[in-house]
Amino acid sequence: MFLFASYSGGVSDFMSHGDRPNFRLGSRLSDTTFGVYMMKTQCVSSDRISSLPENIIETILSLMPIRDALRTSILSKRWRYCWMTMPKLVFDHNLVRAISGTGILLKYKLVNAIFHVLLMHNCPAIIKFELDVDKMDMETEFHPIILYLSRRTNVKDLIIDNNTSDIFYKLPTSFFLIQGLESLELMGCDLEPPLTFNGFNKLRKIDFDDVQVSTKDLQHFLSSCPLLEEVILGDYEEEYVEENSFKFVQLFQCVPLVHTLDISKDYMKYLTAGGMPNKLPTSLHLKDVRLDVCLRELDVISSVLCIIRSSPNLGRLFFVMRDNEKLPIQESSIKFADLRDDLSLTLDNLEIFEVVYFSNISCEMEFVKLIMCKSPILEIAQIELKDNVSADDELKIVRDMERFPRASPSAQLIIERRPMTEDS
């Protein structure tokens, strides 16, 4: 199996069969033949890759798929054990494809390969550890791997991708004992922190996609990670939310240092429930915000406006328009045109403004105009139209936006068409 290959020979290992002298027992070598052989030996012995600095070798190995990184052990004696101190371990689909076999045999070989690497690995600190085994249903095998990580002194970046499995992977207790985490990405997992969980005190980024977690457990987890600066909450199982006790106000209390926020439509449903006040008592540190919004819902509108008013340092806004064509307009809907004179609503540091799934209904157009008239240093305003917007409507949008008096006349306006997808 390729993962067990290691260099244990001499010069002949580097030479093809045709390059080797044809020695015969009792034969006499000519001076020419012997000289050619010695020249080849000296060239191989003085190869440049064996004299590379440690940091260069580490960089080379970190850029390779793990299969190829392990194969470098046959290059020379110097390289034989270099892979054992690789700071990045990525077990993904590239490794799966490199192993022959199907079904149980493939799974056995893959698990054997991963455990072999972990057994031999001897790096004091792991910069990145990724586990993404495509459609292999390895939930049981994940446990000893997580246990291994919990016993390491330092793991900075951890990615567990179980999205292709039909079963959510319930993170074991040992997961919450991993030390040194600065970035965490979970996909297709079940997160339920134990009562003894004291938090990840170095964690700065989380990215949850299709993660089963109750609102209570999510609040507990976030509040236990005081240095969080980047929070990404993607799709989740809707029936797993048992109540609407966790909203944006509580979220910002849990992560007061957050500067990057990305919230999908599933989380927006309960984070915006009940709406938000006009402005939070304490300013937020947000610089980059991406939200799925439905401008037909008052709770969503009030939440978006509150976040804008409470974030004086916003430099980028990204909105995904959702269900604006499907839902009826609420009777007391906010008129965005009336907010253009609102002095509490300012975007003095906004440089990039992006909108996708724009369907050219009035509330969307007025919202875009509101943002642009409040952004004096805006550099780029990009609008991606849904495929169902007609060519005539597209032309009207361009003309309307070009005539509209923007706070930043030099802002580049980009209007383009976005292909229709299943979630459009």
Side-chain angles (χ1 to χ4, degrees), residues 108 139 205 211 259:
Y108 170 78
E139 292 77 18
K205 173 188 175 181
V211 171
H259 61 65

Side-chain angles (χ1 to χ4, degrees), residues 158-347:
L158 176 60
I159 302 174
I160 302 177
D161 188 348
N162 189 48
N163 243 351
T164 56
S165 174
D166 295 330
I167 304 173
F168 283 90
Y169 171 56
K170 184 174 176 57
L171 294 165
T173 304
S174 57
F175 165 80
F176 300 95
L177 300 176
I178 298 176
Q179 300 298 312
L181 272 182
E182 296 181 11
S183 176
L184 174 63
E185 296 182 41
L186 299 177
M187 286 145 278
C189 296
D190 186 347
L191 180 71
E192 188 177 349
L195 296 177
T196 55
F197 177 58
N198 293 321
F200 297 126
N201 57 12
K202 294 183 179 181
L203 191 63
R204 297 182 181 275
K205 173 188 175 181
I206 63 165
D207 186 346
F208 292 172
D209 184 16
D210 202 17
V211 171
Q212 280 191 338
V213 56
S214 68
T215 53
K216 180 180 178 181
D217 286 335
L218 179 60
Q219 186 171 4
H220 176 205
F221 181 88
L222 294 176
S223 60
S224 302
C225 305
L227 297 183
L228 274 174
E229 297 175 341
E230 184 172 353
V231 175
I232 302 174
L233 300 177
D235 298 334
Y236 76 100
E237 290 294 306
E238 187 172 355
E239 65 270 14
Y240 210 65
V241 179
E242 71 284 358
E243 76 282 325
N244 286 333
S245 60
F246 188 52
K247 304 172 186 178
F248 265 123
V249 174
Q250 288 75 31
L251 172 66
F252 291 129
Q253 290 173 348
C254 292
V255 288
L257 301 181
V258 64
H259 61 65
T260 300
L261 186 68
D262 186 339
I263 308 294
S264 73
K265 64 177 182 179
D266 295 322
Y267 280 96
M268 286 290 287
K269 289 178 182 179
Y270 71 82
L271 287 174
T272 62
M276 292 180 70
N278 187 63
K279 186 178 180 180
L280 295 176
T282 304
S283 294
L284 303 174
H285 297 280
L286 287 172
K287 296 180 180 180
D288 189 343
V289 171
R290 180 196 180 281
L291 301 175
D292 284 16
V293 297
C294 176
L295 299 178
R296 302 286 199 185
E297 298 181 357
L298 285 174
D299 289 347
V300 173
I301 296 173
S302 70
S303 298
V304 170
L305 294 177
C306 177
I307 290 173
I308 292 176
R309 288 191 181 99
S310 307
S311 307
N313 299 316
L314 273 177
R316 177 178 178 266
L317 275 176
F318 188 109
F319 291 110
V320 182
M321 298 297 169
R322 300 287 188 185
D323 302 325
N324 290 328
E325 298 172 292
K326 301 175 183 178
L327 298 179
I329 300 177
Q330 297 183 8
E331 292 182 1
S332 57
S333 180
I334 297 174
K335 293 180 173 59
F336 295 115
D338 296 338
L339 296 174
R340 294 177 190 174
D341 297 325
D342 186 349
L343 298 180
S344 67
L345 188 65
T346 59
L347 289 163

Side-chain angles (χ1 to χ4, degrees), residues 363-376:
C363 63
E364 292 180 354
M365 178 61 78
E366 292 302 320
F367 179 73
V368 169
K369 289 180 178 180
L370 173 65
I371 299 299
M372 295 184 69
C373 77
K374 293 290 186 175
S375 310

